[in-house]
Amino acid sequence: MPRQSLTCPVAHLELATGHEPPLSSSTSQRALPEEEAAVVRLGMVAPLDHPLSSEILQGIQQEVGSALCWSVVAGQPWQTAPGLSAVLGESLDLLILLDGAFHPTEYAALAAQYPTLTIGPHSHFRDNHVQLDAVAASELATRHLLEMGHQHIAFVGSCQHGLLALHQKGFLDAIGKTAAPLLLAGDGSEKSGHDAVLDLLARQIPFTALITSNARMASGARLALYRRGLQVPHDVSLLALEDTSSTPCMIPPLTTVHFPGEQLGQHIACALLLNQIQPPLPHVLLPALLLRESTTSPRTS
């Protein structure tokens, strides 16, 4: 494989703190000389349904180009470190572990074998961890609806990946005493979102906006509203705390909360190439709101 000149932002992983501006064409660049360029051996263990895995890989690929040699394993919480190692191989420059793809007790064994970076909503990984601020994501979504004038907001959380308590905290922190909170829990599936809406309607509980933990639950909720003759967003605003490739294609396109995985991937690549994948403290990746057509102000009558 021919060597090539690589360029990457000087900021390294600092974007993950939430204080650095997004990458742009004017971002300061540092070109790695050809003699420093080398093949980057990257492994990733991610849940099958994790929306950030492809974005992170795309960001890394943009910076590393053809010098990237990577393998991705669709991890499950029951998998053991020896089983994962057998698939990943003996030598990696970096192993990225997305929270929910492995059992926390297996982390020490994997970290002892590979240089490891964990990414996820939980902060129990002290070293080399990028925390996705799930509380901030839920709070951001709720404040958006409150600012639009909604007073009856329902939240349907997912019990998957330990997100329920974090999302509920952000929701309740934002609601405070300004509105009446409605909390429901599901299993993350389309059916659970569908059933939650039917339950609210059957109990005749008024709500003008609905937040779901993920896009699949939002899809199920949208179907239930449609079957009851309710329009999004005319009758009910709908918002998900997850952005996927399908959310812009929903009818109407779904407003979501998004973590900038591609930019994170760019910074991971640069930190790796410059041998600076050792941040002294956990970093926090803050979310952004992607406004589409599924949220609007509540009807006045």
Side-chain angles (χ1 to χ4, degrees), residues 221-222 225 230-238 251-252 293-295:
R222 170 72 182 85
L225 292 169
L230 297 173
Q231 298 179 3
V232 176
H234 181 69
D235 297 305
V236 177
S237 286
L238 183 61
I251 301 176
E293 300 167 42
S294 67
T295 54

Side-chain angles (χ1 to χ4, degrees), residues 93-113:
D93 294 300
L94 179 67
L95 174 62
I96 298 176
L97 299 170
L98 274 70
D99 208 353
F102 63 99
H103 196 279
T105 57
E106 302 298 311
Y107 168 73
L110 290 169
Q113 183 173 357

Side-chain angles (χ1 to χ4, degrees), residues 167-186:
H167 282 165
Q168 285 184 345
K169 180 180 185 330
F171 175 69
L172 293 173
D173 286 350
I175 286 283
K177 298 180 179 180
T178 63
L182 299 170
L183 293 172
L184 299 94

Side-chain angles (χ1 to χ4, degrees), residues 181-199:
L182 299 170
L183 293 172
L184 299 94
D187 62 8
S189 67
E190 291 89 345
K191 185 179 185 301
S192 66
H194 179 274
D195 292 349
V197 169
L198 294 184
D199 178 57

Side-chain angles (χ1 to χ4, degrees), residues 134-290:
V135 175
S138 182
E139 188 172 355
L140 179 65
T142 308
R143 291 193 185 281
H144 166 64
L145 295 172
L146 290 171
E147 289 169 0
M148 298 189 89
H150 291 277
Q151 293 296 308
H152 300 281
I153 304 172
F155 176 81
V156 185
S158 170
C159 296
Q160 288 186 323
H161 310 319
L163 286 173
L164 183 61
L166 297 173
H167 282 165
Q168 285 184 345
K169 180 180 185 330
F171 175 69
L172 293 173
D173 286 350
I175 286 283
K177 298 180 179 180
T178 63
L182 299 170
L183 293 172
L184 299 94
D187 62 8
S189 67
E190 291 89 345
K191 185 179 185 301
S192 66
H194 179 274
D195 292 349
V197 169
L198 294 184
D199 178 57
L200 287 171
L201 296 174
R203 290 189 285 155
Q204 297 184 342
I205 299 176
F207 64 101
T208 61
L210 180 70
I211 301 172
T212 64
S213 279
N214 63 33
R216 288 177 300 165
M217 297 175 80
S219 178
R222 170 72 182 85
L223 177 60
L225 292 169
Y226 166 77
R227 286 177 169 171
R228 292 297 184 267
L230 297 173
Q231 298 179 3
V232 176
H234 181 69
D235 297 305
V236 177
S237 286
L238 183 61
L239 192 155
L241 303 182
E242 176 190 58
D243 190 61
T244 69
S245 59
S246 65
T247 50
C249 303
M250 288 180 62
I251 301 176
L254 187 65
T255 295
T256 63
V257 173
H258 174 252
F259 287 97
E262 187 173 319
Q263 294 177 12
L264 175 60
Q266 291 172 335
H267 284 268
I268 290 172
C270 295
L272 178 62
L273 291 169
L274 300 176
N275 296 316
Q276 294 187 15
I277 201 70
Q278 299 289 336
L281 294 172
H283 292 72
V284 177
L285 190 64
L286 297 177
L289 188 68
L290 295 183

